[in-house]
Amino acid sequence: MARSTKEEALETRARILDAAEQVFHERGVSQTSLADVAKAADVTRGAIYWHFKNKSDLFDAMCERVRLPMEAVLEENASPQVADPLGQFLRSGIYVLTMAATDERCRRVFDIIFNKCEFADAHDPILIRQRECHVDGMLRLEQILGNAVARGQLPATLDIRLACLMAHATFSGLLTDWFFSPESFDLVVEGERVLAASLYALKAAPSLQKAQEVKEVKEVVS
């Protein structure tokens, strides 16, 4: 009986998350109430509060179903034991782009994050959580690029903070542009080429070197 009750609770939780995903995508996050989600899931609001503290908690749990597998890939790639950090980073990037383009749930959640979140309040818990995820992702990216420097795949003079900014802007830019206009380019095929080009830039672009190193190079040239 206990197992049955637990399974039913998990099924109800999953149904609520599925409904939230659907309604958030249709109406936008700010225009969706918990009553809307309860109606779509065919449960009471009390059932929602049994599983989730509030709309922010529900939104975060919905995102985690997509985010956690991808974060696991990034976390694994951030390990100093990875022999080919840049190769792994490229393969992981292609994996995320492929999931965004082909997996229905991933595509819907990404579309919600990029196009259906309207943040008017700087203290909005959903906005705060999204910023925390951004910071965590940048830290993992910094570890990956630092490992690539240690492995000799990137120059020791690389400004890792600036390199992280460029790599993240390239990746998030691809997703933002594609979700805004999916017909404008092939996210997987052309996205892979753009990611590969950005990794090449990390190796070769003088403007991504540490400021002191760039200054010294300019002095030598002049």
Side-chain angles (χ1 to χ4, degrees):
M1 182 67 69
R3 179 190 298 178
S4 176
T5 302
K6 183 176 181 181
E7 289 176 351
E8 289 174 358
L10 290 174
E11 289 175 1
T12 299
R13 186 178 189 276
R15 191 163 76 249
I16 293 170
L17 288 170
D18 289 342
E21 186 180 298
Q22 173 190 338
V23 181
F24 284 151
H25 191 256
E26 290 174 354
R27 302 188 183 186
V29 177
S30 66
Q31 299 300 316
T32 298
S33 68
L34 289 181
D36 295 327
V37 175
K39 182 178 180 180
D42 194 23
V43 300
T44 64
R45 286 186 63 187
I48 292 183
Y49 281 116
W50 175 262
H51 293 279
F52 307 100
K53 294 182 292 186
N54 47 41
K55 187 166 79 170
S56 173
D57 190 35
L58 173 60
F59 177 86
D60 193 46
M62 180 202 70
C63 291
E64 289 294 278
R65 295 200 296 182
V66 167
R67 183 189 295 136
L68 284 177
M70 297 182 181
E71 287 184 346
V73 170
L74 280 178
E75 188 171 349
E76 181 180 346
N77 289 350
S79 168
Q81 306 305 317
V82 174
D84 179 17
L86 280 190
Q88 284 289 89
F89 176 66
L90 179 59
R91 287 187 287 273
S92 298
I94 296 168
Y95 162 74
V96 173
L97 295 181
T98 302
M99 290 293 289
T102 62
D103 183 84
E104 185 176 351
R105 168 167 294 159
C106 182
R107 181 170 181 168
R108 193 158 45 232
V109 171
F110 270 44
D111 197 22
I112 292 170
I113 292 172
F114 282 101
N115 294 316
K116 305 296 177 70
C117 289
E118 309 84 4
F119 297 121
D121 181 3
H123 301 290
D124 188 326
I126 293 177
L127 173 60
I128 292 172
R129 175 58 180 149
Q130 292 296 91
R131 284 176 172 167
E132 289 174 349
C133 291
H134 171 78
V135 170
D136 289 343
M138 290 294 282
L139 287 175
R140 287 195 180 95
L141 181 53
E142 185 174 335
Q143 291 172 332
I144 292 170
L145 296 186
N147 293 340
V149 170
R151 293 277 182 177
Q153 294 183 315
L154 292 173
T157 57
L158 182 69
D159 185 327
I160 292 181
R161 187 197 64 82
L162 196 61
C164 286
L165 179 61
M166 192 205 75
H168 186 274
T170 301
F171 189 75
S172 61
L174 282 169
L175 290 171
T176 300
D177 287 354
W178 188 79
F179 277 105
F180 182 75
S181 180
E183 299 80 17
S184 60
F185 66 98
D186 188 314
L187 181 61
V188 178
V189 176
E190 293 176 285
E192 178 179 352
R193 294 176 64 185
V194 171
L195 287 182
S198 71
L199 294 188
Y200 178 79
L202 296 183
K203 301 177 182 179
S207 57
L208 291 178
Q209 307 311 304
K210 294 175 183 176
Q212 182 60 35
E213 300 293 339
V214 172
K215 179 180 178 183
E216 292 175 358
V217 169
K218 287 182 177 178
E219 289 176 350
V220 171
V221 172
S222 61

